[in-house]
Coordinates of all heavy atoms in Angstrom, one line a residue:
M1 N -2.2 -8.1 -2.0 CA -2.0 -7.1 -0.9 C -3.2 -7.2 0.0 O -4.3 -7.4 -0.5 CB -2.0 -5.7 -1.6 CG -0.7 -5.5 -2.3 SD -0.6 -3.8 -2.9 CE -0.9 -4.1 -4.6
K2 N -3.0 -7.1 1.2 CA -4.1 -7.2 2.2 C -4.6 -5.9 2.6 O -3.8 -4.9 2.7 CB -3.5 -8.0 3.5 CG -3.1 -9.4 3.2 CD -4.3 -10.3 2.9 CE -3.8 -11.7 2.8 NZ -4.8 -12.6 2.3
R3 N -5.9 -5.8 2.9 CA -6.5 -4.6 3.3 C -6.8 -4.7 4.8 O -7.1 -5.8 5.4 CB -7.9 -4.5 2.6 CG -8.6 -3.2 2.9 CD -9.7 -3.0 2.0 NE -10.3 -4.2 1.5 CZ -11.4 -4.3 0.8 NH1 -12.1 -3.2 0.6 NH2 -11.9 -5.4 0.4
G4 N -6.7 -3.6 5.5 CA -6.9 -3.5 7.0 C -8.4 -3.6 7.4 O -9.3 -3.3 6.6
K5 N -8.6 -4.0 8.6 CA -10.0 -4.1 9.1 C -10.0 -3.5 10.5 O -8.9 -3.2 11.1 CB -10.5 -5.5 9.2 CG -10.5 -6.2 7.9 CD -11.0 -7.6 8.0 CE -11.0 -8.3 6.7 NZ -11.2 -9.7 6.7
T6 N -11.2 -3.2 11.1 CA -11.2 -2.8 12.5 C -11.1 -4.0 13.4 O -11.7 -5.0 13.3 CB -12.6 -2.1 12.7 OG1 -12.7 -1.0 11.8 CG2 -12.7 -1.6 14.1
M7 N -10.1 -3.8 14.3 CA -9.8 -4.9 15.2 C -10.2 -4.6 16.6 O -10.1 -3.4 17.0 CB -8.3 -5.3 15.1 CG -7.9 -5.7 13.7 SD -6.1 -5.9 13.6 CE -5.8 -7.3 14.7
A8 N -10.6 -5.5 17.4 CA -11.0 -5.3 18.8 C -9.7 -5.3 19.7 O -8.9 -6.2 19.6 CB -12.0 -6.3 19.3
N9 N -9.7 -4.3 20.6 CA -8.6 -4.3 21.6 C -9.3 -4.8 22.9 O -10.5 -5.1 22.9 CB -8.1 -2.9 21.8 CG -6.8 -2.8 22.5 OD1 -6.3 -3.8 23.0 ND2 -6.2 -1.6 22.5
T10 N -8.6 -4.9 24.0 CA -9.2 -5.4 25.2 C -10.4 -4.6 25.7 O -11.5 -5.2 26.0 CB -8.2 -5.4 26.4 OG1 -7.6 -4.1 26.5 CG2 -7.1 -6.4 26.1
N11 N -10.4 -3.3 25.7 CA -11.5 -2.5 26.1 C -12.1 -1.6 25.0 O -13.3 -1.3 25.1 CB -11.1 -1.6 27.3 CG -10.7 -2.4 28.5 OD1 -11.3 -3.4 28.8 ND2 -9.7 -2.0 29.2
D12 N -11.3 -1.2 24.1 CA -11.7 -0.2 23.1 C -11.5 -0.8 21.7 O -10.7 -1.8 21.5 CB -10.9 1.1 23.2 CG -11.0 1.7 24.5 OD1 -12.1 1.7 25.1 OD2 -10.0 2.2 25.0
E13 N -12.2 -0.2 20.7 CA -12.0 -0.6 19.3 C -10.8 0.2 18.8 O -10.7 1.4 19.1 CB -13.2 -0.3 18.5 CG -14.4 -1.2 18.8 CD -14.5 -2.3 17.8 OE1 -14.2 -2.0 16.6 OE2 -14.9 -3.4 18.2
V14 N -9.9 -0.4 18.1 CA -8.8 0.3 17.5 C -9.0 0.2 16.0 O -9.1 -0.9 15.4 CB -7.4 -0.4 17.8 CG1 -6.3 0.2 17.1 CG2 -7.2 -0.4 19.3
S15 N -9.1 1.4 15.3 CA -9.2 1.4 13.9 C -7.9 1.1 13.2 O -6.9 1.8 13.5 CB -9.8 2.8 13.5 OG -11.1 3.0 13.9
T16 N -7.9 0.2 12.3 CA -6.7 -0.1 11.6 C -7.0 0.1 10.1 O -8.1 -0.1 9.6 CB -6.2 -1.6 11.8 OG1 -7.2 -2.5 11.3 CG2 -6.0 -1.9 13.2
Y17 N -5.9 0.6 9.4 CA -6.0 0.9 8.0 C -4.8 0.3 7.3 O -3.8 0.2 7.9 CB -6.0 2.4 7.8 CG -7.1 3.1 8.5 CD1 -6.9 3.6 9.8 CD2 -8.4 3.3 8.0 CE1 -7.9 4.3 10.5 CE2 -9.4 3.9 8.7 CZ -9.2 4.4 9.9 OH -10.2 5.0 10.6
T18 N -5.0 0.0 6.0 CA -3.8 -0.3 5.2 C -3.4 0.9 4.5 O -4.1 1.6 3.9 CB -4.2 -1.4 4.2 OG1 -4.6 -2.6 4.9 CG2 -3.0 -1.8 3.4
V19 N -2.1 1.2 4.6 CA -1.4 2.3 3.9 C -0.5 1.8 2.9 O 0.3 0.8 3.1 CB -0.6 3.1 5.0 CG1 0.1 4.3 4.3 CG2 -1.6 3.6 6.1
F20 N -0.5 2.4 1.7 CA 0.4 2.0 0.6 C 1.4 3.1 0.4 O 1.0 4.3 0.4 CB -0.4 1.7 -0.7 CG -1.3 0.5 -0.5 CD1 -2.7 0.8 -0.3 CD2 -0.9 -0.8 -0.6 CE1 -3.6 -0.3 -0.2 CE2 -1.7 -1.8 -0.5 CZ -3.1 -1.6 -0.3
V21 N 2.6 2.7 0.2 CA 3.7 3.7 0.0 C 4.5 3.3 -1.3 O 4.9 2.1 -1.4 CB 4.7 3.8 1.2 CG1 5.8 4.7 0.9 CG2 3.9 4.2 2.5
G22 N 4.6 4.2 -2.2 CA 5.4 4.0 -3.4 C 6.7 4.8 -3.2 O 6.7 5.9 -2.7
T23 N 7.8 4.2 -3.7 CA 9.1 4.8 -3.5 C 9.9 4.8 -4.8 O 9.7 4.0 -5.7 CB 9.9 4.0 -2.5 OG1 10.2 2.7 -2.9 CG2 9.3 4.0 -1.1
S24 N 10.8 5.7 -4.9 CA 11.8 5.7 -5.9 C 12.8 4.6 -5.7 O 13.3 4.5 -4.5 CB 12.5 7.1 -6.0 OG 13.6 7.1 -6.9
T25 N 13.1 3.8 -6.6 CA 13.9 2.6 -6.4 C 15.4 2.8 -6.8 O 16.1 1.8 -7.1 CB 13.3 1.4 -7.2 OG1 13.2 1.7 -8.6 CG2 12.0 1.0 -6.6
E26 N 15.8 4.0 -6.8 CA 17.2 4.3 -7.2 C 18.2 4.0 -6.1 O 19.4 3.8 -6.4 CB 17.3 5.7 -7.7 CG 16.6 6.0 -8.9 CD 16.4 7.5 -9.2 OE1 16.9 8.3 -8.4 OE2 15.7 7.8 -10.2
G27 N 17.7 3.9 -4.9 CA 18.6 3.5 -3.8 C 18.3 2.1 -3.2 O 18.1 1.2 -4.0
A28 N 18.1 2.1 -1.9 CA 17.8 0.8 -1.3 C 16.3 0.4 -1.3 O 16.0 -0.7 -0.9 CB 18.3 0.8 0.2
S29 N 15.5 1.3 -1.7 CA 14.0 1.0 -1.7 C 13.7 -0.1 -2.7 O 14.3 -0.2 -3.8 CB 13.2 2.2 -2.0 OG 13.4 3.2 -1.0
E30 N 12.7 -0.9 -2.4 CA 12.3 -2.0 -3.3 C 11.0 -1.7 -4.1 O 10.7 -2.6 -4.9 CB 12.1 -3.2 -2.4 CG 13.4 -3.7 -1.8 CD 13.2 -5.0 -1.1 OE1 12.6 -5.9 -1.6 OE2 13.7 -5.1 0.1
G31 N 10.4 -0.6 -3.9 CA 9.2 -0.3 -4.8 C 8.0 0.1 -3.9 O 7.9 1.2 -3.4
L32 N 7.0 -0.9 -3.8 CA 5.8 -0.6 -3.1 C 5.8 -1.3 -1.7 O 6.4 -2.4 -1.6 CB 4.6 -1.2 -3.9 CG 4.2 -0.5 -5.1 CD1 3.1 -1.3 -5.9 CD2 3.7 0.9 -4.9
Y33 N 5.2 -0.6 -0.8 CA 5.1 -1.2 0.6 C 3.7 -1.1 1.0 O 3.0 -0.1 0.8 CB 6.0 -0.5 1.6 CG 7.5 -0.6 1.2 CD1 8.1 0.4 0.4 CD2 8.3 -1.6 1.7 CE1 9.4 0.3 0.0 CE2 9.6 -1.7 1.4 CZ 10.2 -0.7 0.5 OH 11.5 -0.8 0.2
S34 N 3.1 -2.1 1.7 CA 1.9 -2.0 2.4 C 2.1 -2.1 3.9 O 2.9 -2.9 4.3 CB 0.9 -3.1 1.9 OG 1.3 -4.3 2.3
L35 N 1.5 -1.2 4.6 CA 1.7 -1.1 6.0 C 0.4 -1.0 6.7 O -0.6 -0.6 6.2 CB 2.5 0.2 6.3 CG 3.8 0.4 5.6 CD1 3.8 1.7 4.9 CD2 4.9 0.2 6.5
R36 N 0.4 -1.5 8.0 CA -0.8 -1.4 8.8 C -0.7 -0.2 9.7 O 0.3 -0.1 10.5 CB -1.0 -2.7 9.7 CG -2.2 -2.5 10.7 CD -2.4 -3.7 11.6 NE -2.7 -4.9 10.8 CZ -2.0 -6.0 10.8 NH1 -0.9 -6.1 11.5 NH2 -2.4 -7.0 10.0
L37 N -1.7 0.7 9.7 CA -1.7 1.8 10.6 C -2.8 1.6 11.7 O -4.0 1.3 11.3 CB -2.1 3.1 9.8 CG -2.4 4.3 10.7 CD1 -1.2 4.7 11.5 CD2 -2.9 5.5 9.8
E38 N -2.4 1.5 12.9 CA -3.3 1.4 14.0 C -3.5 2.9 14.6 O -2.6 3.4 15.3 CB -2.7 0.5 15.1 CG -2.7 -0.9 14.6 CD -2.0 -1.9 15.6 OE1 -2.7 -2.3 16.5 OE2 -0.8 -2.1 15.4
A39 N -4.5 3.5 14.1 CA -4.7 4.9 14.3 C -4.7 5.4 15.7 O -4.0 6.3 16.1 CB -6.0 5.4 13.6
G40 N -5.4 4.7 16.6 CA -5.5 5.1 18.0 C -4.2 4.9 18.7 O -4.0 5.6 19.7
L41 N -3.4 4.0 18.3 CA -2.1 3.7 19.0 C -0.9 4.5 18.3 O 0.1 4.5 18.9 CB -1.9 2.2 19.0 CG -2.9 1.3 19.6 CD1 -2.6 -0.1 19.4 CD2 -3.1 1.7 21.1
G42 N -1.2 5.0 17.1 CA -0.1 5.7 16.4 C 1.0 4.7 16.0 O 2.2 5.0 15.9
R43 N 0.6 3.4 15.7 CA 1.5 2.4 15.4 C 1.5 2.1 13.9 O 0.4 2.0 13.3 CB 1.2 1.1 16.1 CG 2.2 0.0 16.0 CD 1.9 -1.2 16.8 NE 1.7 -0.8 18.2 CZ 1.0 -1.6 19.0 NH1 0.4 -2.7 18.7 NH2 0.9 -1.2 20.3
L44 N 2.6 2.0 13.2 CA 2.7 1.7 11.8 C 3.6 0.5 11.7 O 4.8 0.5 12.2 CB 3.3 2.9 11.1 CG 3.2 2.9 9.6 CD1 1.8 2.9 9.1 CD2 3.9 4.1 9.0
S45 N 3.2 -0.6 11.0 CA 4.0 -1.8 10.9 C 3.9 -2.3 9.4 O 2.9 -2.2 8.7 CB 3.6 -2.9 11.8 OG 2.2 -3.2 11.7
L46 N 5.0 -2.9 9.0 CA 5.1 -3.4 7.6 C 4.3 -4.7 7.4 O 4.4 -5.6 8.2 CB 6.6 -3.7 7.3 CG 6.9 -4.3 5.9 CD1 6.5 -3.2 4.8 CD2 8.3 -4.7 5.8
L47 N 3.4 -4.7 6.4 CA 2.7 -5.9 6.1 C 3.4 -6.7 5.0 O 3.5 -7.9 5.0 CB 1.3 -5.5 5.6 CG 0.3 -5.0 6.7 CD1 -1.0 -4.5 6.0 CD2 0.0 -6.0 7.7
E48 N 3.7 -5.9 3.9 CA 4.2 -6.6 2.7 C 5.1 -5.7 1.9 O 4.9 -4.5 1.8 CB 3.0 -7.1 1.9 CG 3.4 -7.9 0.7 CD 2.1 -8.3 -0.1 OE1 1.0 -8.0 0.3 OE2 2.3 -9.1 -1.1
T49 N 6.1 -6.2 1.3 CA 7.0 -5.5 0.3 C 6.7 -6.0 -1.0 O 6.7 -7.3 -1.2 CB 8.5 -5.7 0.6 OG1 8.7 -5.2 2.0 CG2 9.3 -4.9 -0.4
I50 N 6.3 -5.2 -2.0 CA 6.0 -5.6 -3.3 C 7.1 -5.0 -4.3 O 7.1 -3.8 -4.6 CB 4.6 -5.1 -3.8 CG1 3.5 -5.5 -2.8 CG2 4.3 -5.5 -5.2 CD1 3.1 -4.5 -1.8
P51 N 8.0 -5.9 -4.7 CA 9.1 -5.4 -5.5 C 8.7 -4.8 -6.8 O 7.8 -5.4 -7.5 CB 10.0 -6.6 -5.7 CG 9.6 -7.6 -4.6 CD 8.2 -7.3 -4.3
S52 N 9.2 -3.6 -7.2 CA 8.9 -3.0 -8.4 C 10.0 -2.0 -8.7 O 10.2 -1.1 -8.0 CB 7.6 -2.2 -8.4 OG 7.4 -1.5 -9.6
K53 N 10.8 -2.3 -9.7 CA 12.0 -1.5 -10.0 C 11.7 -0.3 -10.9 O 12.6 0.3 -11.4 CB 13.1 -2.4 -10.7 CG 13.6 -3.4 -9.7 CD 14.3 -2.8 -8.6 CE 14.9 -3.8 -7.6 NZ 15.3 -3.2 -6.4
D54 N 10.4 0.0 -11.1 CA 10.0 1.1 -12.1 C 9.6 2.4 -11.4 O 8.9 3.2 -11.9 CB 8.8 0.6 -12.9 CG 9.2 -0.5 -13.9 OD1 10.4 -0.5 -14.3 OD2 8.4 -1.4 -14.2
N55 N 10.1 2.6 -10.2 CA 9.9 3.9 -9.4 C 8.4 4.2 -9.3 O 7.9 5.2 -9.8 CB 10.6 5.0 -10.1 CG 12.1 4.8 -10.1 OD1 12.7 4.5 -9.1 ND2 12.7 5.1 -11.3
P56 N 7.6 3.4 -8.6 CA 6.2 3.7 -8.4 C 6.0 4.8 -7.3 O 5.8 4.6 -6.2 CB 5.6 2.3 -7.8 CG 6.8 1.7 -7.1 CD 8.0 2.2 -7.9
T57 N 6.0 6.0 -7.8 CA 6.0 7.2 -6.9 C 4.7 7.9 -6.7 O 4.5 8.7 -5.8 CB 7.1 8.2 -7.4 OG1 6.8 8.5 -8.7 CG2 8.5 7.7 -7.3
F58 N 3.7 7.6 -7.5 CA 2.3 8.1 -7.3 C 1.3 7.0 -7.3 O 1.3 6.1 -8.2 CB 2.0 9.1 -8.4 CG 0.6 9.7 -8.2 CD1 0.5 10.8 -7.4 CD2 -0.5 9.2 -8.9 CE1 -0.8 11.4 -7.2 CE2 -1.7 9.8 -8.7 CZ -1.9 10.8 -7.9
L59 N 0.5 7.0 -6.2 CA -0.5 5.9 -6.0 C -1.9 6.4 -5.9 O -2.1 7.5 -5.4 CB -0.1 5.1 -4.7 CG 1.3 4.6 -4.6 CD1 1.5 3.9 -3.2 CD2 1.6 3.6 -5.7
A60 N -2.8 5.5 -6.3 CA -4.3 5.8 -6.1 C -5.0 4.5 -5.9 O -4.6 3.5 -6.5 CB -4.8 6.6 -7.4
V61 N -6.1 4.6 -5.1 CA -6.9 3.4 -4.9 C -8.3 3.7 -5.4 O -8.8 4.8 -5.3 CB -7.0 3.1 -3.4 CG1 -7.9 1.9 -3.1 CG2 -5.6 2.8 -2.8
D62 N -8.9 2.6 -6.1 CA -10.2 2.8 -6.6 C -11.3 2.9 -5.5 O -10.9 2.7 -4.3 CB -10.6 1.7 -7.6 CG -10.9 0.4 -6.9 OD1 -10.5 0.2 -5.8 OD2 -11.5 -0.5 -7.6
Q63 N -12.5 3.3 -5.8 CA -13.5 3.6 -4.8 C -13.9 2.4 -4.0 O -14.3 2.5 -2.8 CB -14.8 4.2 -5.4 CG -14.6 5.6 -5.9 CD -15.8 6.2 -6.5 OE1 -16.7 5.5 -7.1 NE2 -16.0 7.5 -6.4
E64 N -13.8 1.2 -4.6 CA -14.2 0.0 -3.9 C -13.0 -0.6 -3.1 O -13.1 -1.7 -2.4 CB -14.7 -1.1 -4.8 CG -16.0 -0.7 -5.5 CD -15.9 0.2 -6.7 OE1 -14.8 0.2 -7.3 OE2 -16.8 1.0 -6.9
C65 N -11.8 0.0 -3.1 CA -10.6 -0.4 -2.5 C -10.2 -1.8 -2.9 O -9.8 -2.6 -2.1 CB -10.8 -0.4 -0.9 SG -10.9 1.3 -0.3
R66 N -10.4 -2.1 -4.2 CA -10.0 -3.4 -4.7 C -8.8 -3.3 -5.6 O -8.2 -4.4 -5.9 CB -11.2 -4.0 -5.5 CG -12.3 -4.4 -4.6 CD -13.4 -5.1 -5.3 NE -14.5 -5.3 -4.4 CZ -15.5 -6.1 -4.7 NH1 -15.5 -6.7 -5.9 NH2 -16.4 -6.3 -3.9
R67 N -8.4 -2.2 -6.1 CA -7.3 -2.0 -7.0 C -6.4 -0.8 -6.5 O -6.9 0.2 -6.1 CB -7.8 -1.7 -8.4 CG -8.6 -2.7 -9.1 CD -7.7 -3.7 -9.8 NE -8.5 -4.7 -10.6 CZ -8.7 -5.9 -10.2 NH1 -8.2 -6.3 -9.1 NH2 -9.4 -6.7 -10.9
L68 N -5.1 -1.0 -6.6 CA -4.2 0.0 -6.4 C -3.5 0.3 -7.7 O -3.1 -0.6 -8.4 CB -3.1 -0.5 -5.4 CG -1.9 0.5 -5.1 CD1 -2.4 1.7 -4.4 CD2 -0.8 -0.2 -4.4
Y69 N -3.5 1.6 -8.1 CA -2.8 2.0 -9.3 C -1.5 2.7 -9.0 O -1.5 3.5 -8.1 CB -3.7 2.9 -10.1 CG -5.0 2.2 -10.5 CD1 -6.2 2.3 -9.8 CD2 -5.0 1.4 -11.7 CE1 -7.3 1.7 -10.2 CE2 -6.2 0.7 -12.0 CZ -7.3 0.9 -11.3 OH -8.5 0.3 -11.6
S70 N -0.5 2.4 -9.7 CA 0.8 3.1 -9.5 C 1.2 3.7 -10.8 O 1.2 3.1 -11.9 CB 1.9 2.2 -9.0 OG 2.2 1.2 -9.9
A71 N 1.6 5.0 -10.7 CA 2.3 5.7 -11.9 C 3.8 5.5 -11.7 O 4.4 6.0 -10.8 CB 1.9 7.1 -11.9
D72 N 4.3 4.7 -12.6 CA 5.7 4.4 -12.5 C 6.5 5.2 -13.6 O 6.0 5.7 -14.6 CB 5.9 2.9 -12.8 CG 5.2 2.0 -11.8 OD1 4.6 2.6 -10.9 OD2 5.3 0.8 -11.9
R73 N 7.8 5.3 -13.3 CA 8.7 6.0 -14.2 C 9.9 5.1 -14.5 O 11.0 5.3 -14.0 CB 9.2 7.3 -13.6 CG 8.1 8.3 -13.4 CD 8.6 9.5 -12.8 NE 9.5 9.1 -11.7 CZ 10.5 9.8 -11.2 NH1 10.7 11.0 -11.6 NH2 11.2 9.4 -10.2
P74 N 9.8 4.1 -15.4 CA 10.9 3.3 -15.8 C 11.8 4.0 -16.9 O 11.5 3.8 -18.0 CB 10.3 2.0 -16.4 CG 9.0 2.5 -16.9 CD 8.6 3.7 -16.1
G75 N 12.7 4.8 -16.4 CA 13.5 5.6 -17.4 C 12.7 6.9 -17.7 O 12.3 7.5 -16.8
R76 N 12.6 7.3 -18.9 CA 12.0 8.5 -19.3 C 10.5 8.4 -19.6 O 9.8 9.4 -19.5 CB 12.7 9.1 -20.5 CG 14.2 9.3 -20.2 CD 14.9 10.1 -21.3 NE 14.7 11.5 -21.0 CZ 15.0 12.4 -21.8 NH1 15.6 12.2 -23.0 NH2 14.8 13.7 -21.5
D77 N 10.0 7.3 -19.9 CA 8.6 7.1 -20.2 C 7.8 6.8 -19.0 O 8.4 6.3 -18.0 CB 8.5 6.0 -21.3 CG 9.1 6.3 -22.6 OD1 9.1 7.5 -23.0 OD2 9.7 5.3 -23.2
G78 N 6.5 7.1 -19.0 CA 5.6 6.8 -17.9 C 5.0 5.4 -18.1 O 4.9 4.9 -19.2
L79 N 4.5 4.9 -17.1 CA 3.8 3.6 -17.1 C 2.8 3.5 -15.9 O 3.1 4.0 -14.8 CB 4.9 2.5 -16.9 CG 4.4 1.0 -16.8 CD1 3.8 0.5 -18.1 CD2 5.6 0.2 -16.4
V80 N 1.6 3.0 -16.2 CA 0.6 2.8 -15.1 C 0.4 1.3 -14.9 O 0.2 0.6 -15.8 CB -0.7 3.5 -15.4 CG1 -1.7 3.2 -14.4 CG2 -0.5 5.0 -15.6
K81 N 0.5 0.9 -13.6 CA 0.3 -0.5 -13.3 C -0.9 -0.6 -12.4 O -1.2 0.3 -11.6 CB 1.5 -1.1 -12.6 CG 2.7 -1.3 -13.4 CD 3.8 -1.9 -12.6 CE 5.1 -2.1 -13.5 NZ 6.2 -2.5 -12.7
A82 N -1.7 -1.7 -12.4 CA -2.8 -2.0 -11.5 C -2.4 -3.2 -10.7 O -1.9 -4.2 -11.2 CB -4.1 -2.3 -12.3
W83 N -2.7 -3.1 -9.4 CA -2.5 -4.1 -8.4 C -3.8 -4.5 -7.8 O -4.6 -3.7 -7.4 CB -1.5 -3.7 -7.4 CG -0.2 -3.1 -7.9 CD1 0.0 -1.8 -8.3 CD2 1.0 -3.7 -8.1 NE1 1.3 -1.6 -8.8 CE2 1.9 -2.8 -8.6 CE3 1.5 -5.0 -7.9 CZ2 3.2 -3.1 -9.0 CZ3 2.8 -5.3 -8.2 CH2 3.7 -4.4 -8.7
S84 N -4.0 -5.8 -7.5 CA -5.2 -6.3 -6.8 C -5.0 -6.2 -5.3 O -3.9 -6.5 -4.8 CB -5.4 -7.7 -7.2 OG -6.5 -8.3 -6.5
I85 N -6.0 -5.7 -4.6 CA -6.0 -5.6 -3.2 C -6.9 -6.7 -2.6 O -8.1 -6.7 -2.9 CB -6.4 -4.2 -2.7 CG1 -5.5 -3.1 -3.2 CG2 -6.5 -4.2 -1.1 CD1 -6.0 -1.7 -3.0
D86 N -6.3 -7.6 -1.9 CA -7.1 -8.7 -1.2 C -7.9 -8.2 -0.1 O -7.4 -7.4 0.7 CB -6.2 -9.8 -0.8 CG -5.4 -10.5 -1.9 OD1 -5.9 -10.5 -3.0 OD2 -4.4 -11.1 -1.6
P87 N -9.2 -8.6 0.1 CA -10.0 -8.2 1.2 C -9.5 -8.7 2.5 O -8.7 -9.6 2.6 CB -11.4 -8.7 0.9 CG -11.3 -9.7 -0.2 CD -9.9 -9.5 -0.8

């Protein structure tokens, strides 16, 4: 997974962030999504789809922004997964 950086615009700096979204996979959703948020422009674009059929509905990132944790619900039992975040 890629992490966002601050990118230069023609005249101003535009702060960009990586946003992670976990979804229930009971419908058409595929699991985890990483998106780029360009805060000053109000633009959100898809970076990557990370397939996970275990309903990753709660997410947390560690303090160094190197790991993404997902609390999954594959059936009735709970499961925690760790994902690496590329710089």
Side-chain angles (χ1 to χ4, degrees):
M1 289 184 253
K2 298 287 185 190
R3 185 173 24 172
K5 298 179 181 172
T6 301
M7 302 173 65
N9 198 352
T10 52
N11 296 323
D12 301 320
E13 290 259 328
V14 176
S15 294
T16 63
Y17 304 93
T18 300
V19 177
F20 297 100
V21 177
T23 62
S24 175
T25 56
E26 294 165 359
S29 295
E30 295 184 45
L32 291 172
Y33 298 89
S34 64
L35 305 128
R36 175 182 296 122
L37 171 62
E38 295 175 82
L41 302 175
R43 186 179 306 157
L44 192 62
S45 55
L46 179 65
L47 291 173
E48 186 176 4
T49 301
I50 304 102
S52 176
K53 294 297 181 190
D54 293 328
N55 297 314
T57 53
F58 181 81
L59 306 176
V61 177
D62 72 344
Q63 288 182 330
E64 293 82 27
C65 294
R66 294 185 181 190
R67 298 269 187 257
L68 172 70
Y69 298 96
S70 65
D72 299 1
R73 295 177 317 159
R76 301 189 84 185
D77 297 325
L79 174 67
V80 175
K81 290 182 182 174
W83 306 85
S84 176
I85 301 172
D86 296 334

